[in-house]
């Protein structure tokens, strides 16, 4: 079974993807980490401006060397969104994602273009949303807990800017697939959101569903 989960920043897609993967015993890939890792490599080499360097970083990315914790800063989310708008970077990451999704047992992938581009034939597609204010509150809390010195207003502005860039880009923009099920988690806690997501997965994978 392949489960594709997309949505904007801090909507809760990663949390749901991890929970669903654990529930079904499936491998999980947080595809945002790929773009964050490419951005981190570019920044370490001097900056984000060199398109060729970002494509080379994407081509040579090694999943096993990704340090997820080191990539979770707000600055890396913003930098990831810059390199993710480049068609050459996206093309270079296709094969890795396709191979992950092709595992025998299936997989859960979360990102922006999983249901539209990476796994258009996924068994279940979820499009997870929440209002920008709710998402900013969640991310603000998360970054604060990690010791980052950020204000709520900065986090909200960052989320709005990233939403705009991710939705307006021409290469694999953030858009809900026609056959995805929308799940608005604005008024749902983590457990409630998980229960709702699981109900959608079960309904979609039930015989005749
Ligand atoms: N339904 C929810 N209610 C409250 N907090 C949530 C909910 N879903 C996720 N969170 C929290 O919000 C933050 C962002 O969630 P995450 O799953 O990383 O979002 P995304 O992968 O969409 O960026 C995390 O700190 C997570 O624990
Ligand atoms: N499948 C994906 C996943 C992420 N991304 C890009 O990578 C950035 C960081 O993604 P992320 O999922 O780690 O970010 P959050 O939603 O966790 O804040 C996004 O803002 C997108 O620009 C993408 O273009 N396609």
């Amino acid at each position: 079974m392949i489960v594709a989960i997309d949505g904007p920043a801090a909507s809760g897609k990663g949390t749901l993807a991890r929970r669903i993967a654990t529930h079904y015993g499936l491998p999980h890939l947080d595809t945002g980490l790929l773009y964050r890792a490419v951005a981190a490599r570019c920044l370490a080499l001097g900056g984000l401006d060199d398109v060729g360097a970002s494509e080379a970083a994407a081509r040579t990315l090694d999943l096993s060397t990704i340090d997820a914790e080191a990539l979770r800063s707000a600055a890396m989310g913003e930098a990831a969104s810059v390199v993710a708008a480049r068609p050459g970077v996206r093309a270079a990451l296709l094969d890795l994602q396709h191979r992950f999704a092709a595992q025998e047992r299936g997989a859960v992938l979360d990102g922006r273009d999983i249901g539209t581009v990476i796994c258009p034939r996924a068994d279940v597609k979820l499009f997870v949303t929440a209002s920008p204010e709710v998402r900013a509150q969640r991310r603000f809390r998360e970054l604060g807990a990690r010791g980052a010195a950020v204000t709520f207003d900065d986090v909200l502005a960052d989320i709005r800017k990233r939403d705009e860039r991710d939705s307006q880009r021409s290469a694999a923009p953030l858009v809900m697939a026609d056959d995805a099920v929308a799940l608005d988690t604005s008024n749902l806690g983590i457990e409630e959101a998980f229960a709702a997501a699981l109900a959608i997965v079960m309904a979609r994978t039930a015989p005749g569903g």
Side-chain angles (χ1 to χ4, degrees):
M1 172 171 79
I2 295 181
V3 182
I5 306 186
D6 292 301
S11 55
K13 61 191 176 300
T15 301
L16 290 176
R18 269 191 303 278
R19 292 285 298 265
I20 290 170
T22 302
H23 181 85
Y24 286 104
L26 294 171
H28 164 231
L29 180 63
D30 170 355
T31 64
L33 279 181
L34 308 179
Y35 297 93
R36 287 174 183 256
V38 169
R41 180 94 187 113
C42 294
L43 291 173
L45 293 173
L48 297 176
D49 292 344
D50 187 338
V51 173
S54 58
E55 291 170 352
R59 273 197 303 276
T60 54
L61 187 73
D62 178 356
L63 250 190
S64 67
T65 63
I66 291 182
D67 177 1
E69 276 312 298
L71 299 173
R72 299 235 180 259
S73 69
M76 215 52 85
E78 167 65 18
S81 146
V82 171
V83 297
R86 297 174 180 162
V89 167
R90 305 199 72 84
L93 295 173
L94 274 178
D95 190 47
L96 185 161
Q97 294 174 86
H98 283 152
R99 275 187 283 119
F100 192 93
Q103 293 177 81
E104 202 176 330
R105 285 177 297 150
V108 181
L109 290 86
D110 77 87
R112 300 292 186 289
D113 62 341
I114 308 303
T116 50
V117 175
I118 304 297
C119 302
R121 303 182 61 182
D123 300 279
V124 189
K125 299 180 185 180
L126 279 171
F127 195 80
V128 184
T129 61
S131 71
E133 290 76 14
V134 166
R135 290 187 281 126
Q137 189 58 49
R138 291 175 183 168
R139 189 48 49 86
F140 175 60
R141 236 186 253 132
E142 177 188 338
L143 292 169
R146 295 163 51 83
V150 286
T151 67
F152 172 80
D153 288 348
D154 285 346
V155 175
L156 180 57
D158 172 70
I159 276 185
R160 288 193 193 280
K161 186 171 161 199
R162 220 146 43 94
D163 282 357
E164 166 88 12
R165 190 189 289 119
D166 291 348
S167 309
Q168 298 305 315
R169 71 186 179 208
S170 50
L174 170 67
V175 60
M176 182 167 135
D178 291 341
D179 52 351
V181 180
L183 176 59
D184 185 340
T185 68
S186 301
N187 299 310
L188 303 178
I190 290 180
E191 292 306 324
E192 293 168 313
F194 174 58
L198 199 54
I200 293 167
V201 174
M202 285 175 11
R204 283 280 162 139
T205 53

